[in-house]
Amino acid sequence: MLEILNVLGKSLKLDINEENFEMKLDKIPYTIHCAETQDVRQAIDSDFSARCQEHKIEGENSISTWRAHSFTERTWKETVKLAWEISPVLAVYLPCRFKTSDAVKNEVSRLVRVSPTLVSHLPEALQYLVTPDSILTEQPEIIHILNWSLVSPIQALSFFSRQYPPHPVTAQYAIKVLSSYEPDVILFYIPQIVQAIRYDSMGYVTEFIKQTAKRSQLLAHQLIWNMKTNMFRDEESLEPDTELHDSLSHLIDSIVNDLSGNALRFYHRQFSFFDDVTSISGKIRSFPKGKQRKNALIDELQLIRLRKGCYLPSNSEALVLDIDRDFAVPLQSAAKAPFLSRFKVKTMAFNELENFALKIEEKNDLSESNDNKIEKCENLTKNVQNCSGKMINSKSELKDESSDNTNSENLTRTSFDDEEESNLDEIWQSAIFKVGDDVRQVRIIKLIVDHFSY
């Protein structure tokens, strides 16, 4: 009807001398034939307007009045209370809809503090229960945070920042949340976890790092790399960070001292291999830029001993299979001599790579144990010969049997490796190394890319 009224109103402005007296409706597939005189058009328009008034919906005016009325703080509070009575979940999400209203947020916070158990299953409701003010004033309701549903890792880490004052209850909840996630998820937040030590006056973050490093060797490696870098403020590692240096140094020693067996050998192999690769940057720095430095770089790459079961520090899902010793690109740098090198890698899942690397160590242990058995058998045979003065032929037989077992084990190990490696796609991946450098920026970039890939 409004569309028809609009067209009739326009017809009053038409020139009566025009031959075309038809007007099309925009949203309705009809055409209006206008009267030839202005008086008739005015009469039609007035009559149709009166008819529209007769069919007016009861209470229609109240909607227009409501829309024109501005909301007061009291009105907002009553609206939030009504939403809470209908559904507490609905009320919790009202601040997301009305972001400019402080009255809505304050009222939701009050209702959540009064009845926290009604929304404890909503991670989004925690921000209304625990605030910096409620922590400083030791409000009794913050104890409910211990039974709250789990929030995201980054929100849990915010309790170890300047955003919130330190408190044992919030710290316990944050550690509970972080401990619930798998190591490959925690890997995304290593920079924030290490920096949280600055505000960890009660030692919760330090203890969490120790415990989570035991859950995954790859995670422990990334933690150690990041902590070694954050111990200093400068790239040359000459200016210690007074707030973190001692704490991180003791924490690294604690993690390494807790390693043993396969885990300790995996750690030494991984770090020594890439220390050798990174040290090339320092060795070629004295050579002039250009062909001489490139030749020196290629010569140094020929000396690198490839260790099986290592991965790229900047990508803990890339198992290193080989080094392209004929490909090396020295990069421009004023203070250091970075270079680009290429590795043949196989992409593996986080847990797969760790298990594969540890299995390599287990097989080496089995081989060593067989060698020890042979040596013990030989010593035992010699003792028997010395005591009886008789030659015992079982020595060679036992050695042959042990040798057969060793060969069988080697065959099993080779076939296992081939089976494991044949199931993975091999690619060439480039990486940049320079002495004294860290992989924090590379890791952060990769994490951002991975986040957007999901």
Side-chain angles (χ1 to χ4, degrees):
M1 289 190 296
L2 292 177
E3 183 68 21
I4 296 175
L5 277 174
N6 186 34
V7 173
L8 290 176
K10 291 180 179 180
S11 68
L12 297 176
K13 300 178 182 180
L14 293 177
D15 187 0
I16 59 175
N17 297 319
E18 291 184 3
E19 297 181 358
N20 185 13
F21 296 104
E22 293 184 356
M23 299 186 67
K24 293 183 178 180
L25 299 174
D26 294 336
K27 299 180 181 180
I28 305 175
Y30 294 100
T31 302
I32 293 180
H33 296 272
C34 301
E36 297 181 357
T37 63
Q38 188 76 7
D39 294 338
V40 176
R41 295 178 190 176
Q42 183 68 42
I44 294 174
D45 183 70
S46 300
D47 180 67
F48 190 79
S49 298
R51 292 172 182 265
C52 290
Q53 292 293 333
E54 295 176 1
H55 295 282
K56 197 171 185 179
I57 300 174
E58 184 179 356
E60 185 176 351
N61 291 333
S62 62
I63 298 177
S64 301
T65 305
W66 175 81
R67 292 186 62 184
H69 186 266
S70 60
F71 267 39
T72 62
E73 184 175 349
R74 180 179 177 181
T75 306
W76 280 121
K77 288 183 178 180
E78 293 176 353
T79 303
V80 173
K81 289 180 182 178
L82 177 61
W84 184 273
E85 293 175 0
I86 297 173
S87 171
V89 178
L90 172 62
V92 166
Y93 287 100
L94 281 179
C96 298
R97 173 61 179 84
F98 305 101
K99 297 181 180 180
T100 59
S101 176
D102 293 334
V104 173
K105 183 178 180 180
N106 294 335
E107 184 64 17
V108 171
S109 299
R110 187 187 70 81
L111 293 173
V112 170
R113 290 195 298 268
V114 172
S115 304
T117 56
L118 295 179
V119 290
S120 61
H121 62 289
L122 295 176
E124 296 81 3
L126 183 61
Q127 58 182 316
Y128 306 114
L129 175 72
V130 181
T131 62
D133 292 336
S134 65
I135 296 175
L136 286 174
T137 56
E138 295 281 350
Q139 296 295 321
E141 63 267 11
I142 65 173
I143 195 66
H144 289 278
I145 191 177
L146 297 177
N147 297 321
W148 216 267
S149 58
L150 303 180
V151 296
S152 64
I154 199 66
Q155 187 174 352
L157 285 169
S158 66
F159 291 114
F160 297 109
S161 66
R162 287 178 292 183
Q163 182 179 352
Y164 294 94
H167 195 281
V169 174
T170 57
Q172 291 175 40
Y173 172 75
I175 296 301
K176 171 187 173 183
V177 171
L178 294 174
S179 301
S180 67
Y181 289 96
E182 294 297 325
D184 57 335
V185 178
I186 298 298
L187 191 69
F188 282 79
Y189 306 97
I190 285 180
Q192 292 87 344
I193 292 174
V194 174
Q195 289 299 320
I197 298 178
R198 293 183 185 274
Y199 313 100
D200 182 32
S201 58
M202 295 172 286
Y204 282 95
V205 177
T206 301
E207 191 62 29
F208 168 74
I209 291 177
K210 291 180 181 179
Q211 296 302 321
T212 196
K214 298 178 182 179
R215 297 171 57 191
S216 169
Q217 296 308 309
L218 294 181
L219 184 59
H221 295 174
Q222 296 296 330
L223 283 168
I224 292 174
W225 264 316
N226 193 280
M227 288 189 290
K228 283 185 175 181
T229 302
N230 283 284
M231 290 170 61
F232 301 92
R233 294 184 178 273
D234 60 328
E235 293 186 0
E236 302 295 335
S237 300
L238 299 177
E239 181 184 354
D241 189 322
T242 55
E243 295 181 358
L244 291 177
H245 183 274
D246 293 341
S247 300
L248 296 183
S249 179
H250 294 312
L251 190 52
I252 292 173
D253 293 340
S254 176
I255 294 176
V256 176
N257 292 335
D258 286 340
L259 298 177
S260 61
N262 297 336
L264 182 60
R265 285 187 286 272
F266 183 22
Y267 164 77
H268 285 304
R269 181 185 60 200
Q270 174 68 23
F271 278 69
S272 61
F273 174 58
F274 280 100
D275 283 345
D276 293 343
V277 175
T278 306
S279 64
I280 295 178
S281 175
K283 296 177 182 179
I284 66 174
R285 192 190 309 184
S286 59
F287 289 86
K289 296 180 181 180
K291 188 174 181 180
Q292 293 186 20
R293 179 174 290 188
K294 182 174 183 178
N295 293 336
L297 174 57
I298 293 178
D299 293 340
E300 290 294 335
L301 285 176
Q302 308 299 323
L303 303 177
I304 296 296
R305 182 174 66 88
L306 183 65
R307 296 168 176 82
K308 190 175 184 181
C310 295
Y311 61 93
L312 292 179
S314 58
N315 185 2
S316 53
E317 297 178 351
L319 181 69
V320 177
L321 301 178
D322 198 2
I323 306 175
D324 190 347
R325 303 179 189 273
D326 298 325
F327 175 83
V329 180
L331 304 179
Q332 299 294 326
S333 177
K336 300 180 181 181
F339 66 93
L340 179 70
S341 184
R342 190 164 59 180
F343 300 84
K344 179 188 285 187
V345 300
K346 286 188 175 181
T347 303
M348 305 178 69
F350 184 87
N351 294 330
E352 285 183 76
L353 193 148
E354 182 171 339
N355 294 333
F356 180 77
L358 292 176
K359 283 181 179 179
I360 294 175
E361 296 297 343
E362 290 175 359
K363 292 168 187 175
N364 292 337
D365 290 345
L366 291 173
S367 179
E368 293 174 1
S369 63
N370 286 331
D371 294 338
N372 292 334
K373 289 179 182 179
I374 296 174
E375 183 178 357
K376 289 180 180 179
C377 291
E378 290 179 345
N379 293 334
L380 179 61
T381 304
K382 290 180 181 179
N383 292 334
V384 173
Q385 288 178 351
N386 293 333
C387 293
S388 61
K390 298 181 179 180
M391 296 298 295
I392 300 178
N393 294 329
S394 61
K395 170 185 174 182
S396 58
E397 296 175 358
L398 184 59
K399 183 175 181 180
D400 292 341
E401 181 180 356
S402 299
S403 178
D404 293 339
N405 291 336
T406 304
N407 293 333
S408 176
E409 179 63 32
N410 289 334
L411 289 174
T412 303
R413 179 168 64 253
T414 303
S415 61
F416 174 83
D417 294 342
D418 293 340
E419 181 181 357
E420 287 286 334
E421 296 177 358
S422 62
N423 294 329
L424 304 171
D425 295 331
E426 300 179 3
I427 60 174
W428 286 98
Q429 185 168 339
S430 300
I432 298 176
F433 297 89
K434 64 179 177 180
V435 64
D437 193 20
D438 62 87
V439 296
R440 287 180 296 176
Q441 294 180 345
V442 179
R443 289 292 309 175
I444 291 176
I445 293 173
K446 183 179 184 301
L447 296 180
I448 294 174
V449 173
D450 290 344
H451 269 306
F452 281 97
S453 299
Y454 291 142

